[in-house]
Amino acid sequence: MIPVKVTLTGQSLVSRMLKALVLFFLAWVCFLFYAGIALFTSGFLLTRLELNNHSSCQELPGKGPLVGGGRGEPGACWTAPRFSRAVVVLIDALRFDFVQPWPGGLPAPQPFLGRLGSIQHLLETQPQHARLYRFLADPPTTTMQRLKALTTGSLPTFIDAGSNFASYAVQEDNLIAQLNNTGKRVVFMGDDTWEGLFPGAFSQAFFFPSFNVKDLHTVDNGILEHLFPTMDRDDWDLLIAHFLGVDHCGHKHGPHHPEMAKKLNQMDQMLQTLVEQLENDTLLVVAGDHGMTETGDHGGDSKPEVTAALFLYSPFPLFPRAPLEDPEVVPQVNLVPTLALLLGLPIPFGNIGEVMADLFSREGDTQPLATALAQASAYHLNAQQVSRFLHAYSLAAQDLPPEEVQRLQNLFSSASSEYEQLLDQLKTGEVREVDIQALISQLRLFLQGARTACTETWARFRPARMIGGTVLLASTCLLCLVTSGLTSSPEFPFHCLLLRSVAWGLAGVALLAGGLIAGGTGLEPALLCAGGAATSLMAFLWALKLRWKLPMAVFLPGPLPILVLLFLRSAALFSDSFVLAEARAAPFLLCSLSLFLVAQLHWEGRLLGGGPTASCLSSPTASVARREGPRALGLLVGLLLCVRLSSLFHRCPEETPVCQSSPWLAPLSAMGGGQAKNLWYGACLGALGVLVLSVRFWLRRCGNLNSPAPPVLFVRWGLPLMALGTAAHWALASGSDEAPPRLQALVSGAVVGLPRAVLGLAAIGLGLLLWQPVTVLVKTGASSPNPIMVPFVGPPTSQADLDYVVPQIYRRMQEALRGKLAGGGGQTSLALAAYGLGSVYSAAVVTALTLLAFPLLLLHTERISLAFLILFLQSFLLLQLLAAAVGTPTRSPGPFSVPWLAISAWALTATQTFYSTGHQPVFPAIHWNAAFVGFPEGHGSSPVLPALLVGANTFASHLLFSVGCPLLLLWPFVCEGQGSRKKKKPLASGAEVEGEKEEEPLMEMRLRDAPHHFNAALLQLGLKYLFILGVQVLACVLAASILRRHLMVWKVFAPKFIFEAVGFVVSSLALLLGVALVMWVDRAVGSWFKQLILSQER
């Protein structure tokens, strides 16, 4: 061949631009999904309208005089105060049965029963001074939302749960503001959440960090240090003490742990001392903001979570009659108007609670008539305030049903007229108690009806936005489906269509922003993003319609089994029972899909012989197929076994009480000492060791552990160090409470430093991998008698030159190595050998996944390491099985494609992993302890880092499987090399027959035979994976929309949508990182070959 110099100026730059455009196209599709999710969310999860109106002493809530006067008395406002001071003791997560009296002398079956003996003693000895209630919280049962309800008398909506650790100042009228407005002095001590809700509202405050749920004593001991000295002073009118120990004990140990008994005993001693120091003009309020589940969690609406305790005590008689045998149920919002009137304050403007009538009997009143009159006056004031709020809210928001509001106002007008008539009769002394009780019943009917109407309508859906978000999501799914079927065609100009669509999108954003500004509406990000996304999407689809005649096949996501699978998964999301049972449904579907894979191999004759194959599990001959068939069946059995074992690490939804969560989800520190704990710790260490050794064994087998490159050295030495740091952290964290006092400081420092060291090592390893991603060992020898002929002079100057020479170089390396191993080096002298080049892409991805896995593993409890090991093995078996079903291309230059079946199985495995690591798509199941791994003392005031740690723990499966998604494309090529090692075809004596010589396997270098097909395959893979995930989000959106008035919408469907949407965001970003990593390795491989050719020419 005569050397000819080829000049293709700029082709290398064009190739790099095409890779960047592939990544940009996937990022654009992700943006379309994000915009649809944001638009739907802005219409579905809205907070109610908060009015800025405030009540004041100068303005009564309605017309008419007050029974008993009060406005001229010292300290009086709407009515005369009954108490001049109050002490509010808020014991976080004080469940009702923690306070419920327990018969003396009987052994308590649970550690938390009968511990608050001081309350039981007061109820028995002073029944007219003390009263216990069931304090019913409205979901969500998170602390910040409960504090808002306890101070405003209103109902925080569902979406407020997202800001539980990023408290925003309360703007609505509230008790704290009313106290400040009337010159009262408020002293606070305890949970620093109050600082964010009421900044600058306290005359004196002692805030303590609240987020460290492992710390049972810092907040409580800090309060006790200041509580009793403050009680002795006269510089306060309202004292609030918010204890957190009971709540933290529940999170750390659960309610059944002996530590809960110790913490409740401490609270009992505090209350006993507090009661002794109370003065006659002081009211004591002891309350829980919410309860807790049997595992110590809260946030949902189960009975143990919403049933807290409320205890009221006064040194003088407060109640006109003895308490009922069964404590009365009182909604939490009822405390707000009750406290306001008892302290002589205006009721907050937005309150929808109802006064507690028993507390409004006049001191010294012995006649039932006088008590009834006092209660009627309190109810009428309360009803006037609620009526005023309904009127103002209806004018501002117009989302309450008009007919219901009119009915309630008519009911109030009727009751108000009767009240005025009662006042007239009072002057003549012709008032009967039965008439007053009838009036009270009518006023209560109004108050309860108003609360019910607000509760039912404060979801305030915006159907237009919900429909727009749903249409945008559905259109983006259609885009992914259609485009994935066209990417393999070289004529498909996706880059031109993309750039034009982005330009149209920017123009749409500009026009929409101009319209919003001209209309006087604020620039809402969700609307702007949705407008730009919709414009660019319509431009793309319209251009696609004009340029291409789309066949019907591109509108079908794969074969019939995939259609059935997508339909079943989507339809199941419309049933709350199936959503709750998804932890069992996902493994079942995965097993069914695996069985279908093996059945397909059998139907094609590739399992037990009868058909040609290029898989790494079978060979071109029927005899080899029969030999490889048992191995495929073995892979299937191993996969099914792993799926079954991983289901042992399950967590039951709270709606299925017959189900028992796995005890293996609990940390080792909850086990106490003993041989069982040591055995479990040994098993966890074994899981770490097997994981590290398995990765190193695979890399060594593929030849990627021989290079002196920094990433390879880190895999050799850094991974064992990370495993050692993880093991040491587990040992110290599980036994930190048992450490000797002189070693406590050392143990505490190690518990902080070791996780950070592991995280730092992982970051260093990823940095080294990005710096030198080519993990290949090159060995040179004697020159080859048959040099490679190329159509250019000198080193390659373009991407086209590289694309021509790289496959030849790799084939020559393979032939030389084969000849040397066979002992025939006389015919083929070894000039150059590269170990690990055939698996260079997958080696980088596997290394990155391993480095990511260790920090994610640290965020889980110790025994989850066994689940991680099982799931890693399961993923390997699945890849092997998928490679058998997909096969590998031989001489065909492309196009490369990953079938829908493989991508569906991968997505199902990610879902199964989410459940098999102890997660559920509900807020009470979130592993909050992950926020304190490496930060046991908390994070200060910033919620960003704890949110990232908790998010990484929750969505670890989404992160790992999305980064590893390119393995679906790469693994069949890796298996090509594994299969070729088993193909030892005997040659005829001394001669080769032309055409029968077996081609050396190119493995992943085959991808460089056709760079266009490689880029198209990565784009198609990303689009298919986004389609599978997008269909899941779309199904959740449709279910939440259609069933938005369903009884279980806020308990099941809304949390499922939120978890699915956030999981999609995490998965899509991780997918972009995985595709970018493969492209980065491809660029590095090109540079490596350039340097290799230059070095050989020298």
Side-chain angles (χ1 to χ4, degrees):
M1 181 179 291
I2 300 175
V4 178
K5 185 173 182 178
V6 180
T7 306
L8 298 175
T9 307
Q11 283 199 14
S12 178
L13 179 62
V14 170
S15 177
R16 293 183 183 180
M17 288 183 62
L18 284 177
K19 287 182 171 61
L21 285 173
V22 167
L23 204 59
F24 187 34
F25 192 92
L26 290 175
W28 173 67
V29 173
C30 292
F31 168 73
L32 298 181
F33 276 113
Y34 300 161
I37 292 172
L39 184 60
F40 176 83
T41 302
S42 68
F44 179 65
L45 296 179
L46 280 181
T47 57
R48 59 180 173 81
L49 179 66
E50 294 185 355
L51 301 181
N52 294 324
N53 309 56
H54 284 70
S55 300
S56 67
C57 286
Q58 290 71 33
E59 182 182 358
L60 285 172
K63 299 179 181 179
L66 300 173
V67 175
R71 292 207 60 193
E73 301 179 15
C77 192
W78 290 1
T79 185
R82 189 163 187 190
F83 295 94
S84 59
R85 301 200 298 180
V87 177
V88 177
V89 176
L90 197 62
I91 302 178
D92 210 290
L94 185 66
R95 206 167 69 184
F96 178 76
D97 54 354
F98 292 0
V99 184
Q100 192 172 16
W102 184 258
L106 296 177
Q110 301 294 346
F112 55 78
L113 291 176
R115 297 294 173 179
L116 296 178
S118 58
I119 291 180
Q120 182 174 355
H121 176 73
L122 292 173
L123 290 171
E124 292 174 352
T125 58
Q126 303 181 54
Q128 291 186 317
H129 296 248
R131 190 61 50 89
L132 178 65
Y133 299 91
R134 297 181 189 269
F135 208 30
L136 196 63
D138 295 289
T141 49
T142 46
T143 295
M144 194 198 75
Q145 285 67 40
R146 295 297 90 229
L147 295 183
K148 285 185 176 181
L150 287 169
T151 53
T152 64
S154 187
L155 300 177
T157 51
F158 183 86
I159 197 167
D160 282 323
S163 58
N164 190 44
F165 301 110
S167 304
Y168 299 105
V170 176
Q171 303 297 328
E172 285 184 286
D173 196 7
N174 59 83
L175 280 176
I176 307 300
Q178 289 297 336
L179 285 160
N180 286 324
N181 292 340
T182 54
K184 304 287 186 180
R185 298 156 299 177
V186 184
V187 175
F188 176 83
M189 51 191 70
D191 186 350
D192 61 355
T193 303
W194 291 75
E195 184 179 15
L197 292 175
F198 307 102
F202 304 110
S203 60
Q204 189 177 14
F206 305 95
F207 297 113
F208 301 95
S210 61
F211 195 58
N212 187 0
V213 296
K214 292 187 176 182
D215 183 359
L216 308 185
H217 307 295
T218 298
V219 177
D220 292 1
N221 292 343
I223 295 173
L224 294 176
E225 181 182 350
H226 299 283
L227 176 60
F228 301 114
T230 303
M231 288 283 296
D232 293 333
R233 301 197 304 266
D234 295 326
D235 57 351
W236 59 273
D237 298 293
L238 177 67
L239 173 58
I240 304 173
H242 188 166
F243 292 87
L244 289 177
V246 173
D247 178 69
H248 287 187
C249 184
H251 285 297
K252 184 177 181 180
H253 300 293
H256 303 282
H257 197 275
E259 283 294 329
M260 182 62 77
K262 297 179 183 178
K263 183 52 64 176
L264 291 174
N265 287 337
Q266 183 187 30
M267 294 296 99
D268 184 60
Q269 294 174 8
M270 176 270 299
L271 291 175
Q272 186 175 354
T273 307
L274 194 61
V275 167
E276 294 172 356
Q277 293 189 228
L278 282 182
E279 298 180 0
N280 287 339
D281 63 344
T282 305
L283 173 68
L284 173 63
V285 179
V286 181
D289 57 342
H290 52 74
M292 66 173 66
T293 64
E294 294 306 309
T295 58
D297 300 311
H298 58 88
D301 62 351
S302 66
K303 186 176 180 180
E305 291 172 275
V306 301
T307 308
L310 172 64
F311 174 73
L312 301 177
Y313 175 78
S314 168
F316 64 81
L318 183 62
F319 301 97
R321 58 178 180 269
L324 301 174
E325 184 176 349
D326 188 31
E328 182 182 351
V329 177
V330 174
Q332 279 190 351
V333 291
N334 289 10
L335 183 63
V336 174
T338 304
L339 271 182
L341 296 183
L342 288 176
L343 295 175
L345 302 172
I347 300 175
F349 188 90
N351 164 74
I352 59 170
E354 172 189 343
V355 291
M356 300 163 64
D358 284 351
L359 281 78
F360 291 92
S361 59
R362 295 292 180 182
E363 185 178 2
D365 286 344
T366 57
Q367 298 297 325
L369 183 62
T371 296
L373 282 171
Q375 293 175 353
S377 176
Y379 270 116
H380 187 250
L381 266 178
N382 190 185
Q384 284 181 316
Q385 170 265 317
V386 172
S387 175
R388 180 183 64 175
F389 167 73
L390 287 179
H391 178 71
Y393 189 85
S394 298
L395 293 177
Q398 299 179 351
D399 59 352
L400 292 172
E403 61 280 359
E404 180 64 15
V405 173
Q406 186 61 44
R407 186 189 71 82
L408 290 171
Q409 294 292 16
N410 292 338
L411 180 61
F412 171 72
S413 298
S414 174
S416 194
S417 299
E418 292 185 16
Y419 182 75
E420 292 178 3
Q421 294 176 7
L422 184 145
L423 295 182
D424 292 337
Q425 295 172 4
L426 186 61
K427 297 176 183 178
T428 62
E430 298 178 357
V431 178
R432 297 181 303 170
E433 183 185 0
V434 64
D435 297 331
I436 300 176
Q437 293 298 337
L439 172 63
I440 290 176
S441 298
Q442 196 168 358
L443 290 171
R444 292 192 64 186
L445 189 63
F446 164 75
L447 291 169
Q448 292 169 2
R451 182 172 182 268
T452 301
C454 292
T455 304
E456 291 178 351
T457 59
W458 269 347
R460 210 167 79 95
F461 301 115
R462 293 188 183 180
R465 294 194 179 195
M466 294 170 64
I467 293 173
T470 305
V471 171
L472 187 54
L473 285 172
S475 302
T476 309
C477 288
L478 178 65
L479 168 70
C480 291
L481 182 61
V482 173
T483 311
S484 66
L486 301 175
T487 52
S488 57
S489 173
E491 293 81 18
F492 179 62
F494 75 91
H495 43 87
C496 299
L497 295 175
L498 171 64
L499 296 177
R500 292 179 183 177
S501 301
V502 170
W504 275 105
L506 294 175
V509 170
L511 289 175
L512 181 59
L516 292 175
I517 293 174
T521 308
L523 296 179
E524 190 173 345
L527 282 179
L528 292 177
C529 292
T535 307
S536 63
L537 179 59
M538 287 189 293
F540 187 93
L541 293 176
W542 180 255
L544 200 64
K545 179 180 181 298
L546 293 179
R547 290 194 177 197
W548 285 76
K549 184 178 180 181
L550 301 176
M552 183 58 65
V554 301
F555 295 98
L556 297 177
L560 180 61
I562 303 304
L563 292 174
V564 173
L565 175 68
L566 286 176
F567 174 77
L568 289 176
R569 290 204 68 191
S570 302
L573 295 175
F574 288 79
S575 167
D576 58 325
S577 300
F578 277 97
V579 172
L580 296 175
E582 190 178 24
R584 289 176 290 165
F588 170 77
L589 292 175
L590 179 60
C591 292
S592 301
L593 204 57
S594 304
L595 289 170
F596 175 79
L597 275 171
V598 175
Q600 188 180 49
L601 287 176
H602 177 67
W603 293 333
E604 296 175 359
R606 293 193 286 156
L607 183 63
L608 298 176
T613 181
S615 160
C616 65
L617 298 178
S618 46
S619 74
T621 63
S623 60
V624 175
R626 284 191 294 269
R627 200 164 53 244
E628 296 290 348
R631 186 181 176 204
L633 293 175
L635 287 173
L636 174 64
V637 172
L639 178 63
L640 298 179
L641 181 62
C642 287
V643 172
R644 182 72 184 99
L645 290 176
S646 63
S647 66
L648 298 177
F649 297 85
H650 68 285
R651 179 174 185 140
C652 297
E654 61 186 23
E655 294 80 8
T656 55
V658 295
C659 177
Q660 295 293 327
S661 297
S662 172
W664 300 348
L665 299 176
L668 292 180
S669 59
M671 295 185 65
Q675 186 177 3
K677 181 177 180 179
N678 295 332
L679 289 175
W680 273 112
Y681 180 70
C684 297
L685 292 186
L688 284 180
V690 171
L691 182 60
V692 172
L693 292 176
S694 299
V695 172
R696 293 184 58 176
F697 173 78
W698 183 85
L699 291 173
R700 183 181 294 108
R701 188 165 181 264
C702 292
N704 296 100
L705 203 62
N706 301 316
S707 169
V712 176
L713 296 177
F714 187 87
V715 170
R716 289 180 181 175
W717 304 106
L719 280 185
L721 280 178
M722 293 172 68
L724 184 62
T726 303
H729 170 72
W730 286 346
L732 295 176
S734 63
S736 58
D737 296 336
E738 305 168 7
R742 66 178 183 277
L743 298 179
Q744 281 289 349
L746 179 62
V747 171
S748 300
V751 169
V752 173
L754 287 172
R756 299 184 185 184
V758 172
L759 181 61
L761 286 173
I764 292 172
L766 289 172
L768 293 175
L769 182 64
L770 294 176
W771 178 38
Q772 292 190 14
V774 180
T775 54
V776 176
L777 174 65
V778 179
K779 288 188 176 182
T780 57
S783 61
S784 171
N786 299 314
I788 297 172
M789 302 300 293
V790 295
F792 54 84
V793 177
T797 59
S798 69
Q799 188 65 33
D801 298 345
L802 270 178
D803 295 341
Y804 182 87
V805 73
V806 166
Q808 294 190 58
I809 294 174
Y810 189 69
R811 286 191 181 95
R812 184 56 53 83
M813 292 177 182
Q814 293 288 72
E815 291 171 1
L817 283 172
R818 294 283 184 184
K820 184 177 179 181
L821 292 175
Q827 294 183 357
T828 305
S829 80
L830 180 63
L832 185 67
Y835 296 91
L837 192 57
S839 56
V840 64
Y841 299 106
S842 54
V845 176
V846 170
T847 302
L849 288 175
T850 308
L851 294 175
L852 286 173
F854 273 94
L856 295 176
L857 187 57
L858 265 178
L859 296 177
H860 291 76
T861 56
E862 300 89 348
R863 287 180 281 189
I864 294 295
S865 60
L866 298 171
F868 265 73
L869 177 62
I870 293 170
L871 293 165
F872 264 73
L873 176 60
Q874 176 184 323
S875 303
F876 172 78
L877 295 174
L878 180 62
L879 286 171
Q880 292 288 111
L881 201 56
L882 292 174
V886 173
T888 56
T890 52
R891 295 179 181 275
S892 173
F896 312 122
S897 178
V898 180
W900 285 101
L901 189 143
I903 297 174
S904 301
W906 195 252
L908 267 176
T909 307
T911 301
Q912 180 229 347
T913 303
F914 172 79
Y915 290 104
S916 296
T917 47
H919 295 98
Q920 284 284 338
V922 290
F923 293 108
I926 293 177
H927 300 175
W928 300 112
N929 288 340
F932 306 103
V933 177
F935 301 89
E937 300 300 325
H939 303 267
S941 59
S942 174
V944 177
L945 184 57
L948 289 176
L949 293 175
V950 173
N953 171 281
T954 304
F955 299 103
S957 62
H958 301 72
L959 181 63
L960 291 174
F961 280 88
S962 297
V963 170
C965 192
L967 290 176
L968 294 172
L969 173 65
L970 303 172
W971 206 263
F973 296 94
V974 177
C975 288
E976 179 190 9
Q978 296 171 0
S980 67
R981 295 189 182 100
K982 301 173 183 177
K983 300 174 184 176
K984 298 184 179 179
K985 180 179 178 180
L987 297 176
S989 56
E992 283 187 5
V993 181
E994 185 67 26
E996 293 184 4
K997 182 178 179 180
E998 184 179 330
E999 180 188 7
E1000 296 294 338
L1002 288 178
M1003 298 174 67
E1004 290 179 350
M1005 287 299 101
R1006 192 181 298 281
L1007 294 167
R1008 297 191 62 90
D1009 268 343
H1012 168 76
H1013 293 300
F1014 188 16
N1015 293 333
L1018 286 173
L1019 178 59
Q1020 185 187 66
L1021 172 66
L1023 290 173
K1024 287 182 176 180
Y1025 196 67
L1026 289 175
F1027 173 79
I1028 296 293
L1029 299 179
V1031 167
Q1032 287 296 107
V1033 177
L1034 178 61
C1036 290
V1037 161
L1038 289 172
S1041 300
I1042 297 171
L1043 303 173
R1044 62 184 180 274
R1045 296 298 181 188
H1046 191 277
L1047 178 65
M1048 303 293 286
V1049 62
W1050 301 118
K1051 188 175 184 66
V1052 175
F1053 296 110
K1056 177 62 177 175
F1057 159 69
I1058 292 175
F1059 274 78
E1060 202 72 41
V1062 177
F1064 177 86
V1065 173
V1066 174
S1067 298
S1068 57
L1069 293 176
L1071 175 67
L1072 293 177
L1073 293 177
V1075 173
L1077 175 61
V1078 173
M1079 290 182 171
W1080 182 257
V1081 175
D1082 186 60
R1083 179 180 177 275
V1085 168
S1087 301
W1088 181 84
F1089 270 110
K1090 283 184 181 180
Q1091 296 175 4
L1092 179 65
I1093 295 171
L1094 285 174
S1095 65
Q1096 290 299 301
E1097 287 202 349
R1098 295 193 190 102

